[in-house]
Amino acid sequence: MVLLAFGCARTPERGAQQEKGASADAGAIGSTAPEFTLSDISGKKVRLSDFKGKVVIVDFWATWCPPCRQEIPNFVRLQSKYRQQGLVILGLSLDQDGEKSVRPFAEEHDVNYPMLLASPETANLYGGVVGIPTTFVLDRQGRIVKKFIGLMEPRVFEEAIQPLLAS
């Protein structure tokens, strides 16, 4: 089991699936973010490409992860503050029981952005997520410009997105 500072552990079986077959540049800064199609908590299919032209925060998280849970209210505030300027936050839940855990959590915390049901394969597309939260910031062209592992202060994300929203 691997632990990250300020982050949650991954289970060995999940980690093994994530690392298997990950390409060397998957999830690398400057690379194009890998496309995915995932279901949201209502069952609607959502593609990353649906948000072309937007600044996107892709947050891998889980309901059982305390640092992940701590970041969610900050993401809700960021989404409210910057939605009109073109920000979209996507929460990619790695909860094994999916919608059963994520829907009540999203409702309880008034989550105002799409909560998607991800998998180890999705995490693998991004180079293998070794701990959560792991968060990627994408520019309007869909390139990865920042990657954060572990709990971050809200200002870190705000500082990362502001120049991208201005361009």
Side-chain angles (χ1 to χ4, degrees):
M1 187 172 288
V2 174
L3 291 175
L4 294 175
F6 308 111
C8 291
R10 66 166 186 205
T11 61
E13 63 279 1
R14 178 166 288 218
Q17 291 173 342
Q18 289 171 340
E19 291 167 359
K20 180 181 172 188
S23 70
D25 63 343
I29 303 296
S31 68
T32 299
E35 177 65 32
F36 56 75
T37 302
L38 299 170
S39 295
D40 69 10
I41 56 176
S42 300
K44 177 185 170 197
K45 295 290 183 188
V46 176
R47 298 176 313 173
L48 179 60
S49 58
D50 294 341
F51 305 101
K52 189 173 177 120
K54 305 276 188 185
V55 173
V56 180
I57 293 176
V58 176
D59 179 47
F60 286 91
W61 74 288
T63 58
W64 49 262
C65 167
C68 300
R69 295 172 66 92
Q70 192 174 339
E71 278 188 337
I72 299 294
N74 300 325
F75 286 140
V76 168
R77 285 189 286 278
L78 277 179
Q79 183 65 70
S80 292
K81 184 174 181 178
Y82 293 104
R83 178 187 316 263
Q84 297 302 326
Q85 294 175 34
L87 176 68
V88 173
I89 298 173
L90 300 175
L92 275 63
S93 167
L94 294 172
D95 285 272
Q96 290 184 350
D97 59 354
E99 183 268 340
K100 182 178 175 184
S101 292
V102 180
R103 179 186 293 276
F105 179 90
E107 290 171 355
E108 179 184 340
H109 292 89
D110 296 320
V111 175
N112 58 355
Y113 56 87
M115 286 291 198
L116 307 178
L117 306 176
S119 67
E121 292 75 24
T122 312
N124 190 42
L125 290 174
Y126 282 77
V129 173
V130 297
I132 54 175
T134 293
T135 308
F136 296 86
V137 178
L138 315 181
D139 67 12
R140 293 183 188 272
Q141 290 73 46
R143 289 184 305 256
I144 297 170
V145 296
K146 299 276 184 184
K147 177 180 179 180
F148 301 101
I149 300 173
L151 177 63
M152 297 290 140
E153 292 293 323
R155 68 173 170 70
V156 171
F157 293 111
E158 201 157 9
E159 289 168 1
I161 64 170
Q162 284 176 335
L164 301 173
L165 293 169
S167 60

